[in-house]
Amino acid sequence: MLGLQLILAGFQALSTLLVSNTDAGLAFYDPTKNGGFMLDNAGGGGGEPLNVIISGLSSPAVLTDAGILHYAQAIGFSFECLGFHLGAPQSANLGDGNGWVNQTIELRYDFGDDDVGTCLESLVGGNHFRVFRQNGTEANSGALFLAVSQEEDVWDGHTIIPDGYNVGRDLLVAAAVGHTSHDGVKYSTVAQNMTGLLAPGSTGLVNQGIATDGVTVLLTVTIL
């Protein structure tokens, strides 16, 4: 037990160092105020809405690459099937001076199994999200912008289900809010709905005709 506590303490200390150069006291910067977008670039002229933001005011350990994976596993998501990614990565411009940057990671619903559950999601469809980090010199919040959506099965080409952006966002938020845990790390998550970042409707979205309600959810995640 003591060994696990020491490992977790070291993990949190290292994570704090990795994000300590972010702008203090800011949840996120609005990408659109500095030439960025609230839609990623999915290719073909369209994009997917960045409909969830993990606040830069969250515990620093959550905002690292290892930390977001660990937190995702606490709310029912994990790495892609056997660690393999199919398809081209999407990119986002978060108005932080970095321009268009490929997704940091893509995580899928794991059906209760961290190791191989996402293989089932890859077959039958389900919820998944892409992660983009706002860390450029012009807007260094450290916040994580997520493109969340519920997708069809592999036989339907993993297209987004009807209303899949709203559905995916709401499923993720429902799983996250409150107290969750994974491998001994406990999290508390609060959510705030925001409007004005994303325009409601379907303009510019992948799979024309899939509209959103224009709501972006801000999650603040605290390690207990």
Side-chain angles (χ1 to χ4, degrees):
M1 184 67 177
L2 179 58
L4 176 60
Q5 291 175 341
L6 290 173
I7 291 172
L8 293 176
F11 166 66
Q12 293 186 38
L14 176 60
S15 300
T16 300
L17 288 174
L18 290 173
V19 297
S20 61
N21 63 341
T22 57
D23 298 339
L26 289 170
F28 67 96
Y29 290 95
D30 179 352
T32 66
K33 301 300 184 184
N34 194 35
F37 302 89
M38 284 298 293
L39 298 176
D40 72 9
N41 181 0
E48 297 188 345
L50 302 175
N51 48 11
V52 174
I53 301 172
I54 298 183
S55 169
L57 301 179
S58 300
S59 293
V62 175
L63 302 175
T64 66
D65 290 358
I68 185 56
L69 171 60
H70 198 275
Y71 177 65
Q73 290 173 328
I75 64 173
F77 295 80
S78 195
F79 49 82
E80 293 188 278
C81 179
L82 304 178
F84 292 107
H85 175 72
L86 298 178
Q90 296 183 12
S91 61
N93 182 343
L94 299 181
D96 59 2
N98 285 336
W100 291 94
V101 177
N102 284 347
Q103 63 198 44
T104 298
I105 192 172
E106 185 170 348
L107 300 165
R108 298 182 180 277
Y109 184 64
D110 66 13
F111 290 91
D113 189 320
D114 288 350
D115 297 319
V116 296
T118 57
C119 296
L120 181 58
E121 194 280 340
S122 294
L123 288 175
V124 304
N127 210 5
H128 74 307
F129 65 93
R130 306 170 194 272
V131 180
F132 305 91
R133 179 176 287 109
Q134 189 176 58
N135 64 351
T137 57
E138 297 178 14
N140 189 15
S141 69
L144 302 178
F145 286 65
L146 313 184
V148 190
S149 59
Q150 182 88 353
E151 63 181 359
E152 303 279 11
D153 58 38
V154 66
W155 296 277
D156 287 317
H158 285 163
T159 54
I160 308 303
I161 70 167
D163 200 30
Y165 299 120
N166 293 337
V167 170
R169 177 202 62 207
D170 292 346
L171 287 173
L172 183 147
V173 171
V177 168
H179 292 133
T180 55
S181 64
H182 181 70
D183 281 351
V185 181
K186 298 179 180 179
Y187 302 94
S188 175
T189 303
V190 296
Q192 175 187 349
N193 286 1
M194 302 180 296
T195 56
L197 292 170
L198 279 168
S202 60
T203 301
L205 298 184
V206 169
N207 301 329
Q208 292 183 8
I210 299 181
T212 77
D213 56 14
V215 173
T216 304
V217 178
L218 179 68
L219 298 180
T220 304
V221 185
T222 303
I223 296 178
L224 301 177

